[in-house]
Amino acid sequence: MELGKEEGGKQESSLGVLAQLESLERREGLEFRDQELRDRRESREFRLRSRARELRLRRDRLREKLERLEKQAPGKAGTAPDSDSDPTPPDPRDVLEWRIRSLRALLRLFHLTGISGKLSKRGVFLTLSTSYENSQLDSFHLELQALPELRIQRHSIPAFIPLERLSREFLPRDLRRFLGLLCQHLNGFVGRRFQAEQFQERFSDWIQGIPQRNSLCNLLKFRYSLARNSGNFPFQARLLYRDPCRSLPTDVAVSCSPEAPAALAAQAEQHSELFRTVALHRAFQSLTGAP
């Protein structure tokens, strides 16, 4: 009997050792897999950082090339021709080729900034894409005629965007500045409109009626309550966006009725500051605790 017990004990001991070994193997396997995942992640991050550096270098080289092209007048080949020895005006074909080269360089550069385009029979056809909070919004189109000088041929820019003023100030001498400001105006407009639409769609139970806004969405008025589905709307808000290129208001006024308690007046002041610094739908989400 003693011998049997001893053999049984040895067998149990062997099984326990095997179980421990299997546990260690599993643990080592998990650690190896975790390490492999970390190595892959680090390798991918390194490749992405390298790619980002490469793109930045390409962008800088394109900018330098573009600046050189803009400084080079039509008909120049690195040095200015002597007007006394060669009074002949530049060949229109040379001017056209120079403009095409410049426009191609611009298209390569603008592709990195959300502007895409292609050469057309008249000059260049541009697509200006807008976004807000990582949401792709509207795209607007602009066709520029290249000769005899850069000017707007056709477009889908809204009438309330100061396109004519911008073109008078910056075309044809500074196309990059013109497009940069135009994109700021468009992104400011779609950002304000996006906020107003999200606000009206997501928080209709907290606001009274339809918020009042103009076509440029630089003025917004509404009445609201912090109690959902309440018939009492103690707060009135007026948001004014003096800078057409911004999506946050410059002037905010939130008020309540004169007979309202002092606590509500204090809340109105806090709401004003919040609306001034945070996107409207985000601010209202914070106030109401809505998901």
Side-chain angles (χ1 to χ4, degrees):
M1 293 295 293
E2 293 296 332
L3 180 59
K5 290 182 179 180
E6 184 178 351
E7 290 178 351
K10 289 181 179 180
Q11 185 176 4
E12 292 178 358
S13 177
S14 299
L15 291 174
V17 170
L18 289 174
Q20 290 181 2
L21 289 174
E22 290 177 356
S23 176
L24 289 173
E25 288 178 355
R26 285 196 299 271
R27 186 181 306 169
E28 290 179 356
L30 291 174
E31 291 177 354
F32 177 78
R33 187 175 63 183
D34 291 343
Q35 182 63 41
E36 186 178 9
L37 290 174
R38 285 194 296 270
D39 292 342
R40 288 180 182 176
R41 190 181 304 115
E42 291 175 358
S43 176
R44 183 172 181 273
E45 290 176 355
F46 176 77
R47 290 197 303 271
L48 290 175
R49 286 195 296 269
S50 300
R51 180 61 175 165
R53 286 195 296 269
E54 179 185 350
L55 289 174
R56 284 194 293 268
L57 289 173
R58 287 178 58 191
R59 179 198 62 191
D60 294 340
R61 286 196 294 267
L62 285 172
R63 283 177 175 172
E64 293 175 0
K65 185 176 180 180
L66 181 60
E67 289 174 358
R68 289 196 301 270
L69 287 171
E70 289 179 342
K71 291 178 181 178
Q72 181 181 358
K76 291 186 179 180
T79 57
D82 188 349
S83 59
D84 295 333
S85 60
D86 186 14
T88 306
D91 188 339
R93 185 177 303 174
D94 294 337
V95 175
L96 178 60
E97 291 178 354
W98 174 82
R99 288 198 180 278
I100 290 175
R101 289 196 303 269
S102 301
L103 290 173
R104 281 176 176 163
L106 279 171
L107 292 179
R108 289 194 296 270
L109 176 61
F110 290 146
H111 182 70
L112 302 175
T113 61
I115 302 177
S116 60
K118 60 182 179 180
L119 295 178
S120 65
K121 292 182 180 179
R122 296 183 178 90
V124 60
F125 185 85
L126 298 171
T127 299
L128 288 67
S129 301
T130 60
S131 63
Y132 186 76
E133 290 187 340
N134 299 321
S135 297
Q136 296 296 320
L137 301 176
D138 293 352
S139 293
F140 302 93
H141 305 289
L142 181 69
E143 186 174 9
L144 299 176
Q145 181 175 310
L147 288 176
E149 63 179 11
L150 279 176
R151 66 183 183 88
I152 298 171
Q153 183 70 23
R154 295 182 299 174
H155 67 86
S156 64
I157 308 298
F160 44 78
I161 300 295
L163 181 63
E164 293 299 327
R165 177 177 62 82
L166 293 175
S167 65
R168 285 196 306 270
E169 293 180 4
F170 300 104
L171 280 182
R173 67 180 187 279
D174 195 343
L175 180 58
R176 279 197 299 172
R177 179 67 171 162
F178 166 74
L179 291 176
L181 287 173
L182 179 57
C183 286
Q184 290 180 28
H185 278 271
L186 291 173
N187 275 290
F189 158 64
V190 298
R192 296 189 298 270
R193 187 189 62 186
F194 178 82
Q195 292 180 59
E197 290 175 348
Q198 289 290 304
F199 171 63
Q200 183 176 339
E201 177 182 336
R202 296 172 55 186
F203 303 103
S204 58
D205 291 343
W206 285 271
I207 58 180
Q208 182 183 34
I210 300 176
Q212 302 176 31
R213 54 174 173 157
N214 57 6
S215 56
L216 187 55
C217 294
N218 64 348
L219 178 62
L220 183 65
K221 298 179 181 179
F222 56 92
R223 292 171 58 86
Y224 68 97
S225 171
L226 296 186
R228 188 170 188 171
N229 293 315
S230 172
N232 181 27
F233 298 90
F235 296 105
Q236 304 178 62
R238 180 180 184 273
L239 279 60
L240 178 63
Y241 304 76
R242 294 187 184 276
D243 186 348
C245 297
R246 290 188 56 188
S247 56
L248 289 177
T250 51
D251 299 337
V252 178
V254 179
S255 60
C256 49
S257 59
E259 63 272 11
L264 280 182
Q267 284 186 13
E269 290 292 330
Q270 296 173 0
H271 296 182
S272 296
E273 183 61 27
L274 187 61
F275 292 154
R276 189 178 292 110
T277 56
V278 181
L280 178 59
H281 58 296
R282 301 293 183 201
F284 216 76
Q285 183 179 23
S286 173
L287 290 175
T288 61

